[in-house]
Amino acid sequence: MKIIGITGGVGAGKSRVLYLLEKEFGAYIVEADLLAKNLMKSGKRVYNKVVEKFPEVIPSEGAEIDRMKLASLVYADKSKLKMLNGLVHPEVKEWIREDIEKHRLDKKCKLYIIEAALLIQDGYKEICDEIWYIRAETETRVKRLMESRNYSEEKAYSIIKNQPADDYFIDNSDRVIDNSGDFLQTNEQIINILSMLE
């Protein structure tokens, strides 16, 4: 079983690559952001930790976390954001470690994919066999964000500017997949890489 970490900036087209890997190559996909949201639901492993530190984010005992309220709290205060990340990210990584072991024992999974925006920063290199960086030209990313999320051009550029530069991702990745052009070209790159991994 190969464990591949996939990362890249907003608008680079990671979701499309994940879809391709799942549908065409039978990959098992774990998206860290979606997993984090799930683990913060009532009764899940992160819920009590978050509620203990941020009791104001639930309207009543046992209720689901008000994600909008939590977001407004942590994005207004970097120390609170750091605290939240410190509660959530280690649990997400531990869940993934356990899940990888289950899939290893099952022996049916050939390709296990972990997608996370902070894959490199959160130390997933120690878990993954390879890190793939999905990149696209800035202008392409801006256009995609304007079309898919209705962002203004200014907002799209602002978000991209606040993310790590290409060089950071390239220096910390094993493979770079250029997703700037036609997706058929991206598909070919992925096929070539996977053929080398077999």
Side-chain angles (χ1 to χ4, degrees), residues 35-155:
L35 176 57
K37 287 175 187 174
N38 187 48
L39 294 180
M40 280 196 281
K41 287 181 179 175
S42 181
K44 299 285 185 175
R45 64 202 290 169
V46 183
Y47 177 86
N48 287 338
K49 292 183 177 185
V50 173
V51 170
E52 185 182 332
K53 296 292 183 183
F54 303 98
E56 63 271 46
V57 300
I58 55 167
S60 59
E61 191 173 336
E64 294 295 345
I65 291 169
D66 183 333
R67 298 191 57 78
M68 294 288 285
K69 196 167 193 176
L70 181 61
S72 65
L73 274 174
V74 299
Y75 288 117
D77 185 334
K78 285 187 177 180
S79 66
K80 287 182 179 177
L81 178 60
K82 188 177 180 182
M83 183 190 297
L84 179 64
N85 286 340
L87 297 173
V88 177
H89 291 317
E91 292 289 350
V92 168
K93 191 188 272 190
E94 184 55 31
W95 187 97
I96 290 173
R97 283 184 189 277
E98 291 168 7
D99 195 52
I100 285 170
E101 288 312 307
K102 285 178 193 171
H103 279 83
R104 276 208 175 105
L105 291 171
D106 187 39
K107 295 183 180 176
K108 290 178 185 173
C109 179
K110 303 291 182 203
L111 201 56
Y112 189 104
I113 306 290
I114 306 165
E115 184 277 323
L118 300 177
L119 193 84
I120 297 164
Q121 296 92 322
D122 285 343
Y124 279 88
K125 284 185 104 171
E126 65 188 20
I127 294 175
C128 299
D129 295 312
E130 288 195 356
I131 302 286
W132 294 3
Y133 169 46
I134 313 303
R135 75 165 300 279
E137 297 295 337
T138 301
E139 294 75 16
T140 303
R141 293 168 64 189
V142 168
K143 186 180 176 187
R144 287 173 181 165
L145 291 172
M146 290 171 70
E147 289 173 356
S148 65
R149 304 190 191 182
N150 292 318
Y151 286 175
S152 67
E153 187 176 14
E154 184 183 11
K155 182 176 181 179

Side-chain angles (χ1 to χ4, degrees), residues 171-188:
D171 290 346
N172 289 282
S173 299
D174 300 290
R175 315 256 183 194
V176 177
I177 296 171
D178 193 330
N179 193 29
S180 299
D182 190 304
F183 197 67
L184 287 172
Q185 295 172 331
T186 305
N187 193 8
E188 286 174 12

